[in-house]
Amino acid sequence: MALADRSDSSRKAQWWRSLDRVSLSCVGILIALGYILMLAASPAVAHRIGASRNMFILKQVVFLALAGSVVVLTSRLTPRMIGRIAVMGGIVALGATFMTLVHGMEIKGARRWIALPLMSVQPSEFLKPCFAVVTGLLLSLRHTLRLANGWRFPGRLVACGVYVVIAALLQAQPDIGMLSVISMVFITQLFIDGLPVVFFGMLVTAAMGAFGVAYLVFDHVHSRVQRFLHPDVGDHYQIDTSMRAFGNGGLLGRGPGEGRVKDLLPDAHADFVFSVAGEEYGFVMCLFIIAVFTVLVFSTLNRLLEEKNPYVILSTSGLITGFGLQAFVNMGSSLHLIPTKGMTLPFISYGGSSAISVALTIGMALALTRHRVEGGLFTPPSSSAETARPLTRSLHKDH
C-alpha cells in the first residue's frame, strides 16, 4: 500500500503511519453495519408515520457519510487544534443547550432539540466530546502550568465549575441520561488525574445521592427504575418486545428483512436497533457488534499506555469513556440489563446529531493518540522528567 511506504514523506503518508488504524477500521465496520441495519429497520418506521419508505435511509446515508468525513478530517489535526476546537465548540454547544430551554422543541416532556430547516439538532450531544477535551486540558494544566507565585493552576477547581454549569443545564432540560454519561466521564478523568481516594469516594457517594434525588424528583426516572426492578409494574411493552426479538433471532437470526420488532417498536431504527440486529442476524451478529466496540475502546486505551502527555491521557480517556458508555447504555437497555434510556448506538442508530457527535469524539481520540516525536500541547519534549512522566504515576507521587 502506497501510504505504508516508509520512504513516502508526504503529510498524508505520515498521518496514515501515525494513526491507530485498528480503531479507524472499527469505525468503518460500524458505519457499514449502520447502513445495513438502517435498511432493515427504517422502512417499517417510515411507513408507520406516513413518510416515504426510504426517508430515513437516505438521510442516514448522508449522516454517516458526513460522520466518516468528520472522523478522517478531525484525526489529521494536531492536539493544539483539537484543544481550540473543543473550547470554541464547547462554548457554542453550551449556548445552544441553553437556547433549548427557551426556544427548544418539547418532545416527551423534555426540551433538548433545536429545529433547523432540514433537521433537528440536539446540542448536548456535542457537549460530550468538547467537555471531555476541555476538562482534560484544564486538569492537565495543573501539572504543566505554574502561576507567578509558584502555585499550580487550579485546574480541578475550574473543571468542576465547568461541570456544574453543564450539569445544571442538562438537569433543567431534563436529560438525566446525558448528565449521567458526562458525570461518569468527569469522575473517570478525576480518578486518572490522581484525585485522593477519600475525595474520590466522596464524589462517587455524591453521584449516587444525586441519582437518588433524580429518582425521587423526576417521574420518568422513577417510572423507568420501577419498571426495571419490578416486572409486574407499569408498561413493559417496549422491553418485552425487544427481548422477544432476541429470542426469535436465536443463534443466526431469522434472516435479512424477516424480523418483526421493527414493525412493533416506534424507535426500532434508533434506540432499539440492536434488537433488530438480534432478531434478523442473531446472537452471532450481536457478539460481533459488541466485539467491534470492545476492540475500538481497548485499542484506543492501549495507545495511552506509553503516553506521557497529561492532556492527551486525560482528554482521550474522557472521550473513549463517553463513547463506550453510550454503546453500553444502548445495548444494555435493549437487553434489559439496565433501566431503559433513549440513547443511540454509535454509528449504527439513526440520528444526525448523534452520528456527527460520535464522529467528532472518535476523530479527536484518533488525533490525540497519533504517534508523535515530541510531547505535544503544553508539554515539553520527554527530556523533562517532571512534566513528561506518565500521569498514572502521579497517583502515588503527587499524593
Side-chain angles (χ1 to χ4, degrees):
M1 188 176 187
L3 291 176
D5 185 0
R6 294 288 176 176
S7 63
D8 187 349
S9 59
S10 67
R11 297 179 69 176
K12 184 180 293 186
Q14 291 177 359
W15 162 77
W16 180 254
R17 289 196 296 267
S18 66
L19 195 66
D20 180 0
R21 294 189 291 274
V22 173
S23 292
L24 185 62
S25 299
C26 289
V27 170
I29 293 171
L30 291 174
I31 288 177
L33 290 171
Y35 282 125
I36 293 171
L37 291 175
M38 201 51 50
L39 288 170
S42 66
V45 178
H47 176 73
R48 271 202 307 275
I49 64 174
S52 168
R53 172 184 173 84
N54 296 324
M55 182 188 73
F56 292 115
I57 297 173
L58 294 176
K59 284 188 175 182
Q60 194 68 352
V61 166
V62 175
F63 293 151
L64 291 179
L66 286 173
S69 300
V70 168
V71 170
V72 172
L73 293 175
T74 307
S75 70
R76 301 189 66 173
L77 302 178
T78 64
R80 185 179 298 274
M81 294 172 69
I82 292 296
R84 290 173 178 171
I85 288 174
V87 171
M88 292 185 293
I91 292 172
V92 173
L94 195 63
T97 301
F98 175 77
M99 289 301 296
T100 61
L101 303 178
V102 182
H103 300 291
M105 299 166 53
E106 183 171 342
I107 300 177
K108 298 179 180 179
R111 291 184 175 272
R112 305 171 189 168
W113 296 267
I114 293 177
L116 297 179
L118 297 178
M119 61 181 290
S120 58
V121 176
Q122 186 177 352
S124 59
E125 284 282 358
F126 298 94
L127 276 178
K128 285 188 296 182
C130 293
F131 173 79
V133 175
V134 169
T135 51
L137 174 58
L138 291 171
L139 294 173
S140 70
L141 288 176
R142 174 178 168 272
H143 298 268
T144 58
L145 180 63
R146 303 288 179 174
L147 303 179
N149 55 10
W151 291 1
R152 290 179 175 182
F153 176 78
R156 286 179 183 167
L157 184 61
V158 179
C160 286
V162 173
Y163 167 77
V164 168
V165 171
I166 292 176
L169 284 176
L170 293 178
Q171 181 273 332
Q173 286 186 329
D175 192 348
I176 304 304
M178 184 72 71
L179 176 57
S180 299
V181 170
I182 286 181
S183 298
M184 287 301 300
V185 166
F186 192 41
I187 290 173
T188 300
Q189 289 178 311
L190 288 174
F191 176 76
I192 295 173
D193 187 45
L195 188 70
V197 175
V198 174
F199 291 111
F200 181 76
M202 293 172 60
L203 193 62
V204 172
T205 302
M208 295 174 64
F211 178 78
V213 172
Y215 172 76
L216 296 174
V217 171
F218 296 105
D219 291 338
H220 69 284
V221 175
H222 182 273
S223 175
R224 288 173 179 176
V225 173
Q226 284 293 101
R227 281 179 289 166
F228 175 74
L229 295 177
H230 306 287
D232 56 335
V233 174
D235 179 14
H236 290 263
Y237 173 76
Q238 290 196 99
I239 194 62
D240 288 345
T241 304
S242 175
M243 295 303 293
R244 281 201 304 273
F246 289 109
N248 293 338
L251 184 63
L252 298 176
R254 302 181 64 169
E258 297 300 319
R260 293 293 173 264
V261 66
K262 60 194 178 188
D263 298 320
L264 303 173
L265 290 180
D267 294 322
H269 63 319
D271 298 348
F272 289 96
V273 71
F274 193 59
S275 305
V276 176
E279 185 175 29
E280 299 202 358
Y281 297 96
F283 178 71
V284 172
M285 174 60 85
C286 291
L287 277 185
F288 178 70
I289 293 173
I290 294 171
V292 174
F293 279 112
T294 303
V295 170
L296 196 161
V297 169
F298 278 93
S299 178
T300 303
L301 293 176
N302 184 60
R303 303 277 286 202
L304 298 179
L305 292 179
E306 299 302 323
E307 181 60 57
K308 295 180 174 62
N309 188 329
Y311 162 64
V312 171
I313 294 171
L314 290 164
S315 298
T316 307
S317 298
L319 288 167
I320 205 63
T321 296
F323 178 84
L325 275 174
Q326 181 172 338
F328 170 77
V329 168
N330 179 278
M331 293 185 288
S333 296
S334 298
L335 290 166
H336 200 43
L337 298 177
I338 59 174
T340 55
K341 173 66 188 83
M343 194 166 287
T344 58
L345 189 58
F347 294 115
I348 295 179
S349 294
Y350 173 81
S353 296
S354 174
I356 304 304
S357 170
V358 294
L360 188 62
T361 299
I362 297 303
M364 286 178 164
L366 289 172
L368 292 170
T369 56
R370 282 168 52 197
H371 290 310
R372 292 178 178 85
V373 176
E374 49 192 339
L377 185 64
F378 299 123
T379 304
S382 57
S383 58
S384 172
E386 172 63 23
T387 58
R389 71 180 187 274
L391 205 62
T392 50
R393 297 181 191 172
S394 72
L395 288 169
H396 306 289
K397 189 168 183 178
D398 289 346
H399 304 287

